Amino acid sequence: MFASPPIRLLLAGEGAIAALHMQALQTLEGAEVVCLAGGVAADSAAFAERWGIRGHSLDFAACLARDDIDAVILATPSPLHAGQAAQAIAAGKHVLAEIPMSLDLADAERLCAQAAATDRVCMVAHTHRFGPPHAELKRRIGAGEFHLQHLVAETYFLRRDNRNMFGQPRSWTDCLLWHHACHSVDLFAWLLDDAELEVWGSAGPRHPELGIPMDMNIGMRSRRGAMASLVLSFNNRGPFGGFYRYIGEEATLHAYRDELKDHEGIMQPVPAGTGFARQDGEFLAAIRERRPPESSFAACLPTMRLLDRLDRLMGLT
């Protein structure tokens, strides 16, 4: 039990990612979600009832103005992240913003400057940095136990209309580069402590109604020569999710969600917990310890610069 009062949280968003945060928070001590800021009245009420959240509202600004809120978790649509993060920082709240922190480099730079001018904990939910298999690979690489030659990342969804990971309708259009590729671009740079990556890529045709490329491939190379190949599709019929093949000098390892297996399918030891619980736990710990978190806004800005380069190379803007 924590001797100090719990960290009082505002959760913004009532969709699939918000539910994953609530699942993670159930396993952590010293935090309480006291309010939900939703986008749809009926969905917000149902979400609050399901998770036992006492208060809910559709007015994000009014929720921020409450004096019983210490920190905010933004699990809202991607286009809202930058503006809502800026509002939360201005209101004096700690912020955990879902990936991506913004949908362009200019907004990311403004957010980082705003965060740097405050003592608030400002963190991006780069969950792969906390995922047990990727954390174990980071440890092995740092210890010289695993020499990465090629990271092959596959990201597959069926997003021919606006639906979330659970097949529920959504009011906004997802982004293959700034959201989904962001996970793997950040992962590769973080694993190797190398933000000066060589990058290239190409995008498939745009969907006639959604207006976004539905398929994409991205290549990256580190300064020491390690390679990464990213394949992403919104046209895939399953299985869905992110699949990572680590090809190294010593072994070939397969990471999926919170598991790591070798080439024979034998489970490998990884840190305890889930990626979401370890991530949200880091946010709470950084607040208590008054320190910068792993995946702070500033630590994730180099990834946003890489995405901006890819965006320009592929002619997306």
Side-chain angles (χ1 to χ4, degrees):
M1 299 292 293
F2 282 90
S4 58
I7 295 170
R8 300 164 299 179
L9 296 169
L10 167 66
L11 175 64
E14 73 275 28
I17 294 299
L20 291 177
H21 281 287
M22 287 303 302
Q23 289 173 15
L25 290 167
Q26 304 306 299
T27 70
L28 302 172
E29 293 184 323
E32 178 186 5
V33 178
V34 299
C35 186
L36 170 73
V40 178
D43 293 346
S44 299
F47 189 98
E49 182 177 5
R50 175 189 175 191
W51 292 104
I53 302 172
R54 295 194 307 273
H56 61 90
S57 170
L58 301 185
D59 191 334
F60 180 68
C63 292
L64 284 179
R66 292 175 50 156
D67 59 10
D68 62 344
I69 301 292
D70 303 310
V72 182
I73 297 178
L74 295 177
T76 49
S78 295
L80 301 180
H81 292 175
Q84 290 182 331
Q87 283 182 268
I89 297 170
K93 313 299 185 184
H94 305 285
V95 183
L96 172 59
E98 258 303 325
I99 184 175
M101 74 167 85
S102 67
L103 290 171
D104 61 55
L105 179 59
D107 279 345
E109 290 177 333
R110 281 191 288 270
L111 275 178
C112 287
Q114 185 182 7
T118 180
D119 63 352
R120 301 293 87 182
V121 170
C122 299
M123 176 176 165
V124 190
H126 279 280
T127 315
H128 286 351
R129 294 192 183 199
F130 303 93
H134 307 299
E136 171 61 13
L137 264 298
K138 171 81 166 178
R139 186 199 66 77
R140 292 191 190 188
I141 291 170
E145 299 172 12
F146 185 86
H147 296 82
L148 182 64
Q149 296 172 334
H150 199 166
L151 173 63
V152 181
E154 301 167 273
T155 302
Y156 297 134
F157 293 99
L158 185 62
R159 295 280 169 83
R160 292 180 178 175
D161 55 13
N162 282 325
R163 296 182 184 273
N164 66 19
M165 68 174 69
F166 299 131
Q168 300 166 331
R170 60 169 32 142
S171 61
W172 54 284
T173 303
D174 206 352
C175 180
L176 205 54
L177 176 64
W178 287 90
H179 179 190
H180 293 282
C182 185
H183 282 291
S184 300
V185 171
D186 181 77
L187 174 64
F188 188 61
W190 172 75
L191 283 166
L192 301 178
D193 293 316
D194 187 352
E196 300 300 323
L197 302 173
E198 181 183 357
V199 297
W200 61 93
S202 61
R206 293 178 183 268
H207 188 281
E209 296 177 4
L210 300 179
I212 58 170
M214 300 291 285
D215 289 274
M216 193 172 290
N217 59 53
I218 293 171
M220 297 183 286
R221 181 165 47 225
S222 74
R223 285 174 290 182
R224 294 187 177 181
M227 302 285 292
S229 297
L230 282 53
V231 177
L232 307 101
S233 180
F234 280 167
N235 281 314
N236 184 72
R237 293 190 181 274
F240 300 143
F243 305 84
Y244 294 85
R245 179 187 296 262
Y246 285 90
I247 302 172
E249 182 67 25
E250 296 80 6
T252 297
L253 301 170
H254 302 264
Y256 178 63
R257 294 185 177 173
D258 295 316
E259 295 182 346
L260 184 66
K261 299 178 181 179
D262 69 8
H263 69 284
E264 295 180 336
I266 299 173
M267 203 73 71
Q268 303 294 295
V270 297
T274 67
F276 262 85
R278 287 163 53 86
Q279 165 194 273
D280 290 9
E282 167 67 3
F283 179 54
L284 301 175
I287 293 172
R288 292 191 196 97
E289 297 164 14
R290 300 182 180 181
R291 61 168 174 81
E294 175 68 66
S295 74
S296 67
F297 281 16
C300 297
L301 185 57
T303 295
M304 305 303 280
R305 291 179 176 137
L306 291 171
L307 293 174
D308 181 67
R309 284 166 53 192
L310 285 163
D311 191 302
R312 295 173 187 275
L313 286 168
M314 290 189 279
L316 300 180
T317 57

